[in-house]
């Protein structure tokens, strides 16, 4: 039965249509496009990452939930840095694999007057400019539209934003100027005008050396971080804008790794994870953003803007739901100002449903969504209500920097990026041990070694199909989620030069 459902879905897909049914949190029946999802064409048709080079037959095979086939790079495929990749579909929670991935080599260029108006173009491939490597994993929910769109465009947005500071990247030794002129070159203040202003302002600092010391010096690295942060926001705005003309379903967590001028920038919005494994030591490069990790930010927003809670929710957290008969009793609680717990007297308002409820993987914002950062979700509402969840979700990533040039890396030192399907059942340490063990048995010159390591990791988290579902060797439940893994050798850029 499932197979025929998938076959029908695939035939509509390959015909370019987008199936809209989804079961991850189908609580938001009010979440479709206003004019009905089928009247708008998809922004991009469903597919798997281009670098997998799947035939329509293989694309259909990839969606078989019963067997969950592992897809990897083909032997003759070459990704930059000999990057390894593997993916597998979920065990039936959604019709399609809602994870997406991208791996690109791009060039940051000075924007020409032509390009200023038409950005987001494909790289013209003349190999000029500052090279930029990009890896992205996108974990979609409530449909695959947002994840697909981000996987096609986020890296281009980042490249275009970096192009705007091209002249600063060309001179990495000097600190970025505080002010730019209209043409983008460093802004030189007109000294005559400045002198006139100083006499008018009695509080002005006249000693120029003092004034110099009051200026904050901003590093080029933190400027690149800011460019990446604003590109994520721009991506989110673009999804919202294009929803007017296209069907772009759902939302997605986004995790990106950007290599630029000797440094790796790891940007994470959501609950995917990246770790560096160096000399078999684990260096975590991300934090997960969940209702629990962001509780205080979410509660503070609910406290400041109670109208966003729609008279249905309370921003205060309690250890369990409160019964009407408990009015007037003292109960444990915590709010946005607290890390610990205290007692308060229960009032009528406390009977509302808590903004954040549940523990661990079951924690939800407004009983609906289990991640608090990502792209899309503009029309996600609380089930059977008109309360939007988007104001509580942030599209801004946390960016961490790893200096590749300052560290020595052997062939077994890698960056592992994976969606939560990988990490839900496997710890950082277990991943590091598995990768190190696998690579130590592989010929260091085999270009497939990193893809085989990714496949090995993925199968450890998926497990094997037994009578009682997908199981790990210790009989614990395997991951029933879509799983996507990159294994990226940190010595990879040396293999290219």
């Amino acid at each position: 039965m499932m197979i025929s459902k998938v076959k029908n879905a695939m035939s509509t897909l390959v015909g370019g249509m987008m199936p809209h049914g989804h079961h991850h949190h189908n609580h938001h029946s009010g979440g479709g496009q206003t004019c009905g999802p089928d009247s708008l064409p998809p922004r991009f048709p469903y597919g798997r990452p281009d670098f997998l080079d799947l035939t329509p037959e293989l694309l259909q095979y990839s969606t078989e939930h019963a067997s969950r086939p592992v897809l990897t790079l083909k032997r003759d495929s070459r990704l930059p840095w000999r990057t390894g990749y593997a993916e597998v579909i979920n065990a039936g929670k959604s019709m399609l694999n809602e994870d997406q991935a991208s791996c690109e080599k791009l060039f940051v260029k000075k924007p020409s007057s032509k390009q200023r108006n038409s950005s987001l173009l494909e790289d013209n491939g003349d190999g000029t400019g500052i090279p930029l490597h990009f890896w992205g994993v996108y974990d979609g929910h409530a449909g695959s539209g947002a994840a697909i769109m981000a996987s096609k465009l986020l890296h281009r947005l980042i490249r275009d934003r970096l192009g705007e500071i091209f002249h600063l990247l060309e001179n990495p030794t000097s600190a970025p100027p505080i002010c730019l002129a209209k043409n983008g070159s460093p802004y030189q203040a007109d000294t005559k005008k400045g002198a006139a202003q100083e006499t008018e302002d009695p509080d002005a600092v006249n000693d120029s050396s003092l004034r110099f010391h009051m200026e904050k010096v901003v590093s080029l690295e933190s400027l690149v971080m800011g460019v990446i942060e604003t590109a994520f926001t721009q991506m989110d705005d673009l999804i919202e804008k294009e929803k007017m003309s296209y069907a772009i379903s759902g939302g997605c967590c986004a995790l990106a790794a950007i290599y630029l001028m000797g440094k790796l920038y790891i940007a994470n919005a959501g609950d995917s994870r990246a770790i560096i494994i160096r000399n078999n030591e684990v260096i975590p490069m991300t934090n997960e953003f969940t209702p629990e990790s962001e509780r205080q930010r979410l509660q503070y927003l609910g406290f400041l803007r109670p109208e966003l809670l729609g008279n249905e929710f309370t921003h205060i957290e309690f250890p369990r739901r409160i019964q009407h008969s408990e009015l007037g009793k003292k109960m444990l609680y915590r709010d946005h100002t607290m890390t610990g717990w205290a007692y308060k007297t229960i009032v009528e308002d406390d009977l509302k449903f808590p903004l954040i409820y549940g523990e661990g993987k079951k924690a939800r914002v407004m009983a609906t969504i289990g991640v608090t950062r990502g792209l899309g979700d503009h029309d996600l509402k609380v089930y059977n209500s008109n309360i939007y969840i988007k104001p509580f979700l942030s599209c801004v990533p946390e960016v961490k920097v790893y200096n590749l040039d300052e560290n020595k890396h052997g062939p077994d030192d890698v960056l592992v990026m994976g969606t939560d399907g990988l990490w839900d059942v496997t710890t950082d340490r277990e991943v590091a041990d598995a990768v190190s063990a696998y690579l130590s048995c592989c010929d260091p010159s085999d270009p497939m070694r990193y893809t085989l390591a990714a496949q090995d990791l993925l199968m450890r988290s998926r497990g094997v199909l037994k009578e009682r579902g997908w199981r790990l060797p210790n009989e614990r439940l395997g991951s029933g989620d879509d799983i996507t893994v990159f294994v990226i050798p940190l010595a990879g850029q040396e293999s290219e030069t």
Side-chain angles (χ1 to χ4, degrees), residues 50-67:
D50 292 340
F51 56 72
L52 286 178
D53 212 16
L54 296 187
T55 59
E57 295 75 32
L58 265 175
L59 180 62
Q60 180 156 334
Y61 172 61
S62 76
T63 62
E64 311 236 325
H65 300 273
S67 54

Short mmCIF file of all heavy atoms in Angstrom, two decimals, residues 50-67:
data_model
loop_
_atom_site.label_atom_id
_atom_site.label_comp_id
_atom_site.label_asym_id
_atom_site.label_seq_id
_atom_site.Cartn_x
_atom_site.Cartn_y
_atom_site.Cartn_z
N ASP A 50 21.59 17.72 -6.57
CA ASP A 50 22.06 17.53 -7.95
C ASP A 50 23.30 16.66 -8.02
O ASP A 50 23.47 15.88 -8.96
CB ASP A 50 22.36 18.90 -8.59
CG ASP A 50 21.10 19.71 -8.80
OD1 ASP A 50 20.00 19.10 -8.82
OD2 ASP A 50 21.20 20.96 -8.93
N PHE A 51 24.19 16.80 -7.00
CA PHE A 51 25.47 16.08 -7.10
C PHE A 51 25.29 14.56 -7.02
O PHE A 51 26.21 13.81 -7.34
CB PHE A 51 26.49 16.59 -6.06
CG PHE A 51 26.03 16.54 -4.62
CD1 PHE A 51 25.90 15.33 -3.95
CD2 PHE A 51 25.73 17.72 -3.93
CE1 PHE A 51 25.49 15.29 -2.62
CE2 PHE A 51 25.33 17.68 -2.60
CZ PHE A 51 25.20 16.47 -1.94
N LEU A 52 24.09 14.08 -6.59
CA LEU A 52 23.85 12.63 -6.58
C LEU A 52 23.55 12.11 -7.98
O LEU A 52 23.67 10.92 -8.24
CB LEU A 52 22.69 12.28 -5.64
CG LEU A 52 22.98 12.36 -4.14
CD1 LEU A 52 21.73 12.04 -3.34
CD2 LEU A 52 24.12 11.42 -3.75
N ASP A 53 23.09 13.03 -8.86
CA ASP A 53 22.92 12.67 -10.27
C ASP A 53 21.98 11.47 -10.43
O ASP A 53 22.32 10.50 -11.11
CB ASP A 53 24.32 12.31 -10.82
CG ASP A 53 24.42 12.67 -12.28
OD1 ASP A 53 23.56 13.44 -12.74
OD2 ASP A 53 25.34 12.16 -12.96
N LEU A 54 20.80 11.52 -9.78
CA LEU A 54 19.89 10.37 -9.79
C LEU A 54 19.06 10.32 -11.07
O LEU A 54 18.58 11.35 -11.55
CB LEU A 54 18.93 10.45 -8.60
CG LEU A 54 19.51 10.36 -7.20
CD1 LEU A 54 18.40 10.30 -6.17
CD2 LEU A 54 20.42 9.16 -7.06
N THR A 55 18.86 9.12 -11.59
CA THR A 55 17.88 8.92 -12.67
C THR A 55 16.49 8.94 -12.04
O THR A 55 16.34 8.75 -10.83
CB THR A 55 18.09 7.54 -13.32
OG1 THR A 55 17.91 6.55 -12.28
CG2 THR A 55 19.49 7.40 -13.90
N PRO A 56 15.43 9.16 -12.85
CA PRO A 56 14.06 9.11 -12.29
C PRO A 56 13.78 7.79 -11.56
O PRO A 56 13.10 7.77 -10.54
CB PRO A 56 13.17 9.26 -13.52
CG PRO A 56 14.00 10.01 -14.51
CD PRO A 56 15.43 9.58 -14.27
N GLU A 57 14.35 6.68 -12.08
CA GLU A 57 14.12 5.38 -11.44
C GLU A 57 14.75 5.37 -10.04
O GLU A 57 14.14 4.93 -9.07
CB GLU A 57 14.73 4.24 -12.27
CG GLU A 57 14.08 4.01 -13.63
CD GLU A 57 14.47 5.08 -14.65
OE1 GLU A 57 15.61 5.60 -14.57
OE2 GLU A 57 13.64 5.41 -15.51
N LEU A 58 15.98 5.86 -9.96
CA LEU A 58 16.67 5.89 -8.66
C LEU A 58 15.99 6.86 -7.70
O LEU A 58 15.91 6.61 -6.50
CB LEU A 58 18.13 6.31 -8.85
CG LEU A 58 19.13 5.17 -8.98
CD1 LEU A 58 20.52 5.71 -9.27
CD2 LEU A 58 19.16 4.33 -7.71
N LEU A 59 15.47 7.96 -8.25
CA LEU A 59 14.76 8.92 -7.42
C LEU A 59 13.55 8.23 -6.78
O LEU A 59 13.28 8.38 -5.59
CB LEU A 59 14.31 10.13 -8.25
CG LEU A 59 13.55 11.22 -7.51
CD1 LEU A 59 14.41 11.84 -6.42
CD2 LEU A 59 13.07 12.31 -8.46
N GLN A 60 12.84 7.43 -7.59
CA GLN A 60 11.68 6.74 -7.06
C GLN A 60 12.11 5.70 -6.02
O GLN A 60 11.52 5.59 -4.94
CB GLN A 60 10.92 6.06 -8.21
CG GLN A 60 9.70 5.31 -7.72
CD GLN A 60 8.67 5.15 -8.81
OE1 GLN A 60 8.61 5.93 -9.73
NE2 GLN A 60 7.85 4.12 -8.70
N TYR A 61 13.19 4.97 -6.33
CA TYR A 61 13.70 3.95 -5.42
C TYR A 61 14.09 4.57 -4.07
O TYR A 61 13.89 3.98 -3.01
CB TYR A 61 14.90 3.26 -6.07
CG TYR A 61 15.67 2.31 -5.19
CD1 TYR A 61 15.05 1.18 -4.64
CD2 TYR A 61 17.03 2.51 -4.93
CE1 TYR A 61 15.76 0.30 -3.84
CE2 TYR A 61 17.75 1.63 -4.13
CZ TYR A 61 17.11 0.52 -3.59
OH TYR A 61 17.82 -0.34 -2.80
N SER A 62 14.61 5.82 -4.11
CA SER A 62 15.10 6.47 -2.89
C SER A 62 13.98 6.74 -1.89
O SER A 62 14.24 7.00 -0.72
CB SER A 62 15.79 7.79 -3.24
OG SER A 62 14.82 8.79 -3.55
N THR A 63 12.72 6.70 -2.34
CA THR A 63 11.61 7.04 -1.44
C THR A 63 10.94 5.80 -0.85
O THR A 63 9.84 5.91 -0.30
CB THR A 63 10.53 7.85 -2.19
OG1 THR A 63 10.02 7.04 -3.24
CG2 THR A 63 11.09 9.13 -2.76
N GLU A 64 11.55 4.63 -0.97
CA GLU A 64 10.91 3.42 -0.44
C GLU A 64 11.15 3.33 1.07
O GLU A 64 12.22 2.94 1.54
CB GLU A 64 11.47 2.18 -1.16
CG GLU A 64 11.44 2.35 -2.68
CD GLU A 64 10.66 1.24 -3.39
OE1 GLU A 64 10.70 0.10 -2.93
OE2 GLU A 64 10.01 1.55 -4.42
N HIS A 65 10.11 3.67 1.83
CA HIS A 65 10.23 3.71 3.29
C HIS A 65 10.47 2.33 3.89
O HIS A 65 11.03 2.22 4.97
CB HIS A 65 8.96 4.30 3.91
CG HIS A 65 8.66 5.68 3.45
ND1 HIS A 65 9.19 6.80 4.05
CD2 HIS A 65 7.90 6.14 2.42
CE1 HIS A 65 8.75 7.88 3.44
NE2 HIS A 65 7.98 7.52 2.44
N ALA A 66 9.99 1.30 3.20
CA ALA A 66 10.10 -0.05 3.76
C ALA A 66 11.55 -0.50 3.81
O ALA A 66 12.00 -1.07 4.80
CB ALA A 66 9.25 -1.02 2.95
N SER A 67 12.31 -0.23 2.73
CA SER A 67 13.70 -0.72 2.70
C SER A 67 14.71 0.37 3.09
O SER A 67 15.83 0.05 3.46
CB SER A 67 14.03 -1.23 1.29
OG SER A 67 13.74 -0.21 0.34
#
